[in-house]
Amino acid sequence: MKFPALRSTQRNHLNHWLAVGGLLFLVLFHLAGLIPYQNALRTLAFDIYQNLDPRERVSAPVVIVDIDEKSLQEYGQWPWPRSLMARLVEAVNQMQPAAVGIDIIMPEADRASACQVTAYIPGIDASLVEEVCKLPSNDALLAAALADGRVAMGVAGIDQPGPIPEIITPVRAMGEDPMPYIRRFSSALKNLPELEQATQGHAILSTDMERGVVRRVPMVAGIGQHIFPALSLEVLRLAIGSPFFDVITTEKGIETVGIGELRIPTRSDGTLWVHYSPHDPRRFVSASSILNGELEPEFLERKLVLIGFTGLGLVDFPSTVLGERVPGVEIHAQVLESVFDNTVLQRPDWSLWLEGLLILLLGLLAIYGFPYVTALLQVPGLILITLGLGYGGLQAFSHGLWLIDVASPALLFLVLYSGMLADSLIREEAQVVSLQDDLKVEREAAAKVQGEMEAAKRFQMGIVPDARNVFAHEPRIDIAAMMEPAKMVGGDLYDCFMLDQHHVFFSLGDVCGKGVPASLFMVISKTLCKSVALRHDADFSDLGGLISQANLEICRDNPEMLFVTAFIGILDLRDGQLVYCNAGHERPQIFAADCHPRELTGASGPPIGVLEEFDYETFRYKMSPEEMLCIFSDGLTEAANIEQALYGQERLHQAVSDIDESWTCHQLMETAARSVHSYVGEAEPSDDLTLMVVRWCGSQTLPVQDP
């Protein structure tokens, strides 16, 4: 069973409704986070924001004590003895920092302790070993140094079964239970219990990377059933002196973390977008400078100090969104700087709805706006919309520290626009095929009409006589005639023939209008006039009566109410006597050498076909052999150039002003025609052009006989 094809308008409406339905699904999928690759697209947009407008380092509250290449060259390779680490921590504590965070995990006992070293000395006296083992171990020395200051150490989360830290930082959970939302680890790589018991702060150091880049760090994370703060958050807690840290959770997830009055907004999973500034060596001070006492005591006073290492081979250098590879301890420092400078990046709850609204509005614009404007406006529109979205997102980032995803609305808008464009191209292609088929049919029809019009033209031009052939053997008269239709066929007419041995009939007419109707009416009029003139009882002297009879016949069968202006004459070749009738036609001109042109006056009546009962008047004129009678249609006097100025009779008079006795009728006709064509130029002909020139050559060539 075949279904009837939908009309074009119905198809357009159906396509629009399908597009709107798809758009609504896109909005819902966006709100639910189900659009493929959207997270990668979103993070790409946020990375671009930070690259275009990175954070400026303002307050510089953090100093990184760096176990760098210089320190390793001076104090030996890593791992250092814990006694040396104890000296470093003691030196830092003596400078009165606000708090210290150690970004190093020490899970095993120090083999460089005196008691541990004796195990590797063969033949050592037992009493000596006993005395040496009474000395404090390097781990004990470090524990004592840790206990002497506000120091935090960290553990690394592991996603496999194992030990769980026993000492945790107290947490005050406010609102919902935060555990279902945070990143959780099964166990941890932790420090020696002796060191953990000595430190006041306990944090988690683990951070997940996204495609090799650290974009977010967890401010809180879970190990087993316990919540641990990030090293940066724990250092802040120790600096403020709070006994616990806060986690505020709603039904949507974690909202903020904080210490005391300080509140830090986070994502629902407790992570924080790191607001990066470019790598700055001024954040770092070499550990060797601390150990050697090369710094002034106030250099670290009331500063947040992070101890870490950057020596080659000691640590991997993660990448930041700025394309830099930095040590992990610097990322903790950048988090602390953004908290101090109040430049923490936020992604508000309403941002998702704003992005969904943008997708909806841009999608509706693609469906109902762009299809109704030209391609010349669509391309600038696409560019302006894309740039406008990017500019708006960057301004929201720069001034409000808001992370608004404009890449997803822009891409989905382009995808939807591309789909609508593809649909439009498919429909246009189908329409082109249909138009090509229609054009083929129209061309075939036009070719058929053209053939018929060519046949009509040949027929029309065939029924008007060639004056030179008609009177080739009659020396008493010279006639030249021409007709140029404005269209394929025209409404002008002329005729000339011998009524008998001594009388010549000639006529020139102009049907109202042009084209096929005028041509058909011209044929009818010409035929009827000729038929009336050739009747055996025709009275040549009463030409007006003959025209009245023809007018009666034409009016009787004239449903279209057409009419024809005509000049009709009968010339007696014996004496040059002209009998004529002018039915609303242009007055002929009489030209002769050395004479001013004259009009052949006399109006017999209205055009033929206007009034059914009308008696046309007959006029007479005696021609001389020196005169040439020029009869023409209004296509000559009303011929217009490109400026719509008319040719007129004066230009005709000027064109033939140099006429002399040697001129023939054909020469006069050609001269007049060339003048008209030159004047009109490239302008389209406004009417048919018909000319006839008649000259009586005298009666000397034949004896005059009575009919």
Side-chain angles (χ1 to χ4, degrees):
M1 178 179 180
K2 294 184 177 180
F3 294 93
L6 292 175
R7 292 180 301 176
S8 177
T9 302
Q10 292 175 320
R11 286 199 302 269
N12 291 343
H13 289 168
L14 178 60
N15 291 341
H16 281 180
W17 282 115
L18 289 176
V20 171
L23 175 62
L24 294 178
F25 273 109
L26 284 177
V27 174
L28 294 176
F29 287 171
H30 166 77
L31 296 177
L34 300 177
I35 298 179
Y37 307 108
Q38 187 177 17
N39 187 55
L41 188 65
R42 179 180 294 139
T43 55
L44 175 62
F46 298 164
D47 290 353
I48 292 175
Y49 293 160
Q50 295 216 51
N51 277 273
L52 293 177
D53 187 18
R55 180 178 60 85
E56 295 183 5
R57 185 167 176 253
V58 180
S59 58
V62 182
V63 176
I64 299 174
V65 176
D66 185 11
I67 302 175
D68 55 4
E69 288 296 315
K70 177 184 176 183
S71 302
L72 295 177
Q73 291 176 1
E74 188 169 346
Y75 287 94
Q77 65 182 12
W78 187 263
W80 282 353
R82 303 279 164 79
S83 57
L84 183 57
M85 286 296 298
R87 284 179 52 197
L88 179 61
V89 173
E90 288 173 353
V92 170
N93 286 335
Q94 289 174 2
M95 294 185 180
Q96 301 296 315
V100 179
I102 300 178
D103 188 26
I104 303 172
I105 300 176
M106 293 172 272
E108 299 176 348
D110 185 4
R111 295 181 181 181
S113 296
C115 186
Q116 297 288 339
V117 170
T118 59
Y120 300 97
I121 301 176
I124 191 172
D125 186 78
S127 60
L128 180 59
V129 171
E130 182 179 358
E131 290 297 325
V132 169
C133 288
K134 290 180 181 179
L135 296 174
S137 67
N138 291 348
D139 294 319
L141 294 175
L142 178 57
L146 295 174
D148 194 38
R150 288 172 289 190
V151 181
M153 296 188 70
V155 299
I158 301 175
D159 288 321
Q160 60 185 19
I164 296 176
E166 299 176 358
I167 303 176
I168 61 174
T169 300
V171 57
R172 182 172 65 175
M174 305 171 65
E176 303 291 328
D177 181 12
M179 291 300 291
Y181 303 101
I182 62 177
R183 174 75 163 92
R184 298 179 64 179
F185 299 92
S186 300
S187 59
L189 176 64
K190 56 182 183 177
N191 295 285
L192 288 172
E194 183 178 6
L195 301 180
E196 287 190 347
Q197 292 173 2
T199 56
Q200 298 183 23
H202 305 85
I204 187 169
L205 304 178
S206 300
T207 298
D208 293 326
M209 291 194 296
E210 302 174 74
R211 297 179 298 280
V213 178
V214 176
R215 294 183 175 88
R216 295 172 292 177
V217 296
M219 297 305 288
V220 289
I223 301 177
Q225 297 299 318
H226 303 296
I227 299 176
F228 283 78
L231 180 63
S232 55
L233 183 62
E234 185 68 344
V235 169
L236 282 175
R237 184 187 71 83
L238 294 178
I240 294 175
S242 175
F244 51 79
F245 67 93
D246 298 326
V247 179
I248 296 90
T249 310
T250 67
E251 64 277 2
K252 296 180 181 179
I254 296 178
E255 187 175 85
T256 59
V257 297
I259 305 103
E261 300 296 327
L262 177 64
R263 290 291 180 263
I264 305 171
T266 67
R267 299 178 74 247
S268 60
D269 60 356
T271 59
L272 178 76
W273 290 93
V274 182
H275 195 178
Y276 282 105
S277 67
H279 171 71
D280 190 349
R282 292 177 298 177
R283 291 190 179 100
F284 297 82
V285 60
S286 177
S288 62
S289 299
I290 302 290
L291 292 171
N292 296 337
E294 297 174 357
L295 297 179
E296 297 295 330
E298 57 271 10
F299 185 80
L300 298 182
E301 185 177 357
R302 302 186 63 81
K303 294 284 188 178
L304 300 176
V305 178
L306 299 178
I307 300 176
F309 38 57
T310 63
L312 295 177
L314 298 182
V315 65
D316 290 333
F317 285 74
S319 297
T320 71
V321 299
L322 302 183
E324 300 175 326
R325 298 182 66 85
V326 299
V329 67
E330 186 174 1
I331 296 178
H332 294 298
Q334 296 231 29
V335 171
L336 287 169
E337 287 175 359
S338 62
V339 170
F340 260 80
D341 296 338
N342 197 24
T343 56
V344 175
L345 298 178
Q346 304 179 55
R347 180 157 169 77
D349 293 338
W350 49 262
S351 62
L352 200 63
W353 292 96
L354 175 62
E355 294 158 6
L357 180 62
L358 287 174
I359 294 174
L360 180 62
L361 294 178
L362 292 176
L364 292 176
L365 180 62
I367 296 172
Y368 293 105
F370 273 65
Y372 300 100
V373 298
T374 62
L376 190 62
L377 296 178
Q378 287 185 20
V379 174
L382 287 173
I383 295 175
L384 288 176
I385 289 174
T386 304
L387 294 179
L389 286 173
Y391 179 78
L394 183 61
Q395 292 301 308
F397 173 84
S398 300
H399 299 288
L401 299 175
W402 294 328
L403 294 173
I404 307 298
D405 176 20
V406 297
S408 296
L411 180 62
L412 293 176
F413 166 66
L414 294 176
V415 169
L416 188 58
Y417 171 76
S418 300
M420 295 297 296
L421 183 61
D423 175 71
S424 177
L425 291 176
I426 292 173
R427 288 189 287 108
E428 290 294 334
E429 184 176 350
Q431 187 176 4
V432 167
V433 173
S434 176
L435 289 175
Q436 288 176 342
D437 293 339
D438 293 342
L439 182 60
K440 182 179 179 181
V441 173
E442 290 179 0
R443 283 177 175 173
E444 292 174 353
K448 183 177 180 181
V449 172
Q450 180 73 11
E452 294 175 350
M453 295 298 292
E454 290 286 353
K457 181 178 181 180
R458 291 194 300 271
F459 173 75
Q460 181 185 20
M461 299 307 293
I463 64 174
V464 293
D466 185 346
R468 289 177 294 182
N469 294 334
V470 172
F471 302 100
H473 302 291
E474 178 53 72
R476 292 177 293 175
I477 189 170
D478 182 13
I479 294 183
M482 61 166 288
M483 183 172 69
E484 292 181 354
K487 295 186 176 180
M488 185 67 71
V489 292
D492 283 5
L493 61 92
Y494 73 85
D495 200 358
C496 55
F497 54 87
M498 295 293 296
L499 291 172
D500 56 25
Q501 184 180 6
H502 303 295
H503 293 87
V504 175
F505 178 94
F506 58 88
S507 64
L508 190 147
D510 183 4
V511 179
C512 65
K514 296 178 287 294
V516 175
S519 175
L520 294 175
F521 191 73
M522 180 273 286
V523 173
I524 295 172
S525 301
K526 175 183 177 296
T527 303
L528 287 174
C529 289
K530 186 172 184 178
S531 175
V532 170
L534 290 175
R535 288 178 182 175
H536 67 278
D537 59 347
D539 182 3
F540 300 156
S541 63
D542 186 17
L543 183 57
L546 297 178
I547 300 305
S548 298
Q549 295 178 32
N551 176 64
L552 184 62
E553 296 294 335
I554 291 172
C555 290
R556 186 175 300 158
D557 297 314
N558 187 14
E560 298 297 326
M561 302 300 292
L562 297 175
F563 60 87
V564 56
T565 66
F567 179 88
I568 303 171
I570 298 176
L571 177 63
D572 191 335
L573 299 181
R574 294 170 297 184
D575 56 5
Q577 186 68 37
L578 175 65
V579 178
Y580 67 92
C581 183
N582 190 334
H585 196 73
E586 294 278 340
R587 293 182 177 181
Q589 301 290 308
I590 299 175
F591 297 102
D594 300 325
C595 294
H596 292 291
R598 293 182 295 115
E599 284 187 348
L600 190 61
T601 59
S604 303
I608 298 172
V610 175
L611 298 177
E612 185 174 352
E613 299 289 343
F614 189 84
D615 295 327
Y616 287 88
E617 185 178 355
T618 303
F619 294 91
R620 289 172 173 79
Y621 178 78
K622 180 69 170 64
M623 293 187 66
S624 68
E626 294 80 15
E627 295 177 332
M628 284 187 282
L629 178 65
C630 182
I631 312 164
F632 48 85
S633 64
D634 58 3
L636 183 143
T637 56
E638 296 180 3
N641 59 14
I642 58 176
E643 297 177 355
Q644 297 301 307
L646 302 182
Y647 180 75
Q649 290 188 5
E650 290 299 325
R651 289 185 175 85
L652 175 62
H653 294 166
Q654 293 174 6
V656 298
S657 60
D658 56 348
I659 185 173
D660 59 36
E661 295 179 355
S662 64
W663 279 35
T664 63
C665 291
H666 185 78
Q667 187 176 358
L668 177 63
M669 179 187 71
E670 288 292 328
T671 302
R674 282 196 304 270
S675 176
V676 174
H677 293 156
S678 176
Y679 179 77
V680 172
E682 299 296 328
E684 184 178 354
S686 59
D687 201 353
D688 305 330
L689 174 62
T690 305
L691 276 167
M692 177 181 286
V693 182
V694 180
R695 181 178 186 179
W696 177 61
C697 298
S699 60
Q700 298 86 348
T701 56
L702 287 177
V704 178
Q705 299 178 1
D706 293 330

